[in-house]
């Protein structure tokens, strides 16, 4: 039988960069500067330039980028933050960890991103901020979200973990709100060889606060004006990220090619809805997520064909056990709950070959089409 097709073939993606990675490690071994130092400062300025932000502050993960971002914005117990229930756990986990309350609003089924009208309706006098998520690599409807924020005097922290390089109305993901958080988890479009993250901002005071917070709030060392944490990006990961950053644009093009081929290979399949790039958006396709009411059949077919697949995400956050005290019931957010039942991510890899994609598509079609008469 043919070789398995993973969701993302990282060894293949990294092979051309192996020499650069080894060089970065050798350089760091010679310098001995494992924490902070030149490698981190260099990557931060490259990242800021890449996304068009005035400041970038490297962090230990995307989660810690969000957490440090919230700490920099300053929350009080009882503060409410409006966000989406259809996202990775970290988005709401960090809000809870800061003693604030995530208040969820349902999603737009066409984009899986928060519905701006529902978001507006979730604002209360206790709301202090909005955390929109640019899910799967496509920006949320930031025009309307920023408008809501401005009218209610709220800050916006963008969870751009999956969306480096994405754009909305020509503006870069992460740079539209007060702060933007990126993740360099290996499966993100720009992944470290381990954990990493960053916060970007155009606000010098917030950037400065973040730099203090990521060192346990110390400045100078051992003098703590704030309680922060160890949220630092490793120098080694920064060096690896600098080695990968020049390849990001090419990988983005590769992902777009893969998406275009899926569009041809999967057009017109019964009970299958393909993802779309909204007008005015540049989608960077961190994930290629289809939906089907017959997901189990597709999952079985992909598994037996050796094709990687994943469900992002099977349980929306308002129904997570740890958030039971928030008091949400099943049915509260029908579109998020339907997405959790129907979505399925297919392999999306900048270097995915056409023959492999044809195998993915054949498995999907085979599972969803009753009759065995080929096309249409
Ligand atoms: C990956 C991700 C995070 C967390 O990033 P880590 O680097 O894994 O901590 C946060 N939010 C979203 C939407 C993510 O996809």
């Amino acid at each position: 039988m043919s070789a398995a097709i993973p969701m993302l073939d990282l060894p293949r993606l990294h092979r051309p960069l192996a020499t650069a990675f080894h060089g970065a490690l050798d350089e760091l071994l010679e310098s001995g500067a494992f924490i902070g130092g030149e490698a981190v400062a260099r990557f931060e300025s490259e990242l800021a330039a890449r996304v068009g932000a005035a400041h970038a502050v490297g962090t230990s993960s995307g989660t810690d980028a969000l957490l440090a971002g919230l700490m920099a914005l300053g929350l009080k117990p009882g503060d409410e933050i409006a966000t989406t229930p259809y996202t990775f756990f970290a988005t709401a986990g960090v809000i809870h960890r800061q003693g604030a309350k995530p208040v969820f609003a349902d999603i737009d089924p066409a984009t899986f991103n928060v519905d701006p009208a529902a978001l507006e309706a979730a604002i209360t006098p206790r709301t202090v901020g909005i955390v929109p998520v640019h899910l799967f690599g496509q920006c949320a409807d930031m025009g309307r979200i920023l408008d809501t924020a401005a009218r209610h005097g709220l800050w916006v922290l963008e969870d751009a973990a999956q969306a480096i390089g994405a754009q909305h109305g020509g503006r870069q993901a992460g740079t539209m709100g007060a702060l933007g958080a990126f993740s360099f988890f290996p499966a993100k479009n720009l992944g470290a060889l381990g954990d990493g993250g960053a916060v970007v901002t155009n606000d010098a005071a917030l950037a400065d606060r973040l730099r203090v917070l990521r060192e346990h709030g110390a400045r100078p060392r051992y003098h703590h004006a704030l309680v922060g944490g160890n949220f630092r990006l490793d120098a080694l990961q920064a060096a690896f990220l600098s080695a990968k950053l020049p390849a990001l644009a090419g990988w983005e093009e590769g992902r777009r090619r893969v998406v275009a081929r899926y569009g041809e290979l999967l057009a017109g399949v019964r009970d299958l809805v393909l993802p779309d790039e909204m007008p005015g958006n540049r989608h960077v396709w961190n994930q290629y997520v289809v939906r089907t009411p017959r997901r189990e059949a597709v999952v079985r077919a992909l598994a037996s064909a050796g094709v990687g697949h994943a469900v992002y995400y099977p349980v929306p956050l308002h129904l997570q056990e740890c958030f039971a005290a928030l008091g949400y019931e099943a049915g509260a957010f029908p579109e998020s709950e339907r997405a959790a039942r129907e979505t399925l991510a297919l392999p999306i890899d900048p270097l995915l070959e056409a023959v492999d994609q044809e195998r993915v598509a054949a498995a999907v079609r085979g599972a969803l089409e009753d009759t065995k008469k080929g096309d249409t």
Side-chain angles (χ1 to χ4, degrees), residues 60-66 87-91 133-136 159-162 182-185 188 195-197 286 313:
S60 30
S61 67
T63 302
D64 286 344
L66 289 165
T87 174
F88 179 59
F89 177 74
T91 311
V133 179
H134 306 317
L135 204 68
F136 305 142
D159 182 341
Q162 303 182 2
F182 292 110
S183 165
F184 306 122
F185 181 78
K188 303 293 161 80
D195 278 310
N286 178 241
Y313 298 90

Side-chain angles (χ1 to χ4, degrees), residues 68-247:
L70 291 179
M71 291 171 94
L73 291 161
L75 297 179
K76 301 181 305 305
D79 282 350
E80 294 182 1
I81 295 169
T83 190
T84 170
Y86 190 64
T87 174
F88 179 59
F89 177 74
T91 311
V94 294
I95 295 171
H96 179 86
R97 285 169 65 187
Q98 281 303 97
K101 182 177 166 191
V103 174
F104 298 115
D106 209 358
I107 58 168
D108 173 349
T111 62
F112 305 112
N113 282 323
V114 75
D115 174 342
L119 187 75
E120 171 94 33
I123 308 285
T124 78
R126 302 165 79 100
T127 310
V128 297
I130 300 174
V131 180
V133 179
H134 306 317
L135 204 68
F136 305 142
Q138 170 155 246
C139 286
D141 188 346
M142 289 302 288
R144 292 175 65 190
I145 292 169
L146 292 170
D147 178 65
T148 296
R151 275 185 290 102
H152 295 273
L154 311 174
W155 48 253
V156 174
L157 164 58
E158 295 173 67
D159 182 341
Q162 303 182 2
I164 189 167
Q167 293 180 21
H168 178 82
R171 301 176 73 189
Q172 289 267 342
T175 68
M176 293 175 268
L179 297 171
F182 292 110
S183 165
F184 306 122
F185 181 78
K188 303 293 161 80
N189 282 23
L190 179 66
L193 309 185
D195 278 310
V199 187
V200 299
T201 182
N202 290 318
D203 182 323
L206 279 175
D208 187 61
R209 210 171 151 78
L210 283 161
R211 290 183 191 285
V212 175
L213 284 166
R214 76 171 165 185
E215 301 271 9
H216 283 294
R219 182 184 286 163
R221 195 179 258 181
Y222 309 125
H223 296 263
H224 302 263
L226 305 169
V227 177
N230 176 351
F231 302 137
R232 294 181 300 250
L233 175 65
D234 279 353
L236 185 59
Q237 295 304 337
F240 290 151
L241 287 163
S242 284
K244 288 184 74 170
L245 190 58

Side-chain angles (χ1 to χ4, degrees), residues 40-67:
V40 173
R42 175 162 32 110
F43 173 67
E44 287 176 341
S45 66
E46 290 167 353
L47 177 68
R50 176 64 165 76
V51 305
H55 311 275
V57 179
T59 59
S60 30
S61 67
T63 302
D64 286 344
L66 289 165
L67 183 62

